[in-house]
Amino acid sequence: MRLIQYKSLFLNEARTKLKELEDLFLQLEKEPNNNLRIDQALGLLHALKGDSATMSFLHMANAVHAIEEFFLTIKHGNARLTPSNSDNLFVIIDAFRSNLQHIEEKDI
């Protein structure tokens, strides 16, 4: 199957998910123990990971998977969302956006 025809849809969806994640991260910065927001972030991360893997953007899928794993440790009480972690999440969002820009410019 030729996935190039879905690239534009993927990019639009991924950018929407990243904006939603960024908004959730802002909320979690104020309420780091908000389980509903953590679950919402996990759902978005899981969807973005799956979309990336389906499109064979494995670098993106693996990076998103690492953040998803971090949120799972928070959900299960084995880690906390600290101010330093929150700062890093925004850096990661920027890195994901750069990755999407690279994907957009590259033919697959």
Side-chain angles (χ1 to χ4, degrees):
M1 172 165 65
R2 292 200 28 98
L3 295 177
I4 189 106
Q5 63 190 341
Y6 300 108
K7 182 177 170 180
S8 179
L9 177 63
F10 164 78
L11 289 167
N12 289 334
E13 288 291 317
R15 287 184 174 123
T16 298
K17 286 177 176 79
L18 286 179
K19 175 62 177 134
E20 291 175 28
L21 277 168
E22 187 174 45
D23 292 344
L24 280 170
F25 293 168
L26 284 169
Q27 293 170 13
L28 282 167
E29 199 171 34
K30 296 173 189 165
E31 297 179 84
N33 297 320
N34 187 320
N35 290 329
L36 174 63
R37 300 289 181 241
I38 291 168
D39 285 341
Q40 289 171 326
L42 277 165
L44 285 167
L45 289 163
H46 186 75
L48 183 57
K49 176 185 73 176
D51 295 348
S52 299
T54 298
M55 292 295 295
S56 297
F57 301 132
L58 300 182
H59 179 66
M60 179 86 170
N62 290 333
V64 174
H65 176 73
I67 306 308
E68 183 185 28
E69 287 294 316
F70 171 68
F71 270 86
L72 283 170
T73 62
I74 292 170
K75 179 179 175 144
H76 297 299
N78 298 323
R80 289 186 21 230
L81 190 58
T82 66
S84 177
N85 292 340
S86 290
D87 290 345
N88 290 336
L89 291 174
F90 294 109
V91 171
I92 290 165
I93 290 289
D94 288 341
F96 288 162
R97 284 192 177 114
S98 292
N99 198 338
L100 290 178
Q101 184 65 34
H102 176 74
I103 289 168
E104 184 173 36
E105 294 167 358
K106 173 183 142 189
D107 282 333
I108 59 167

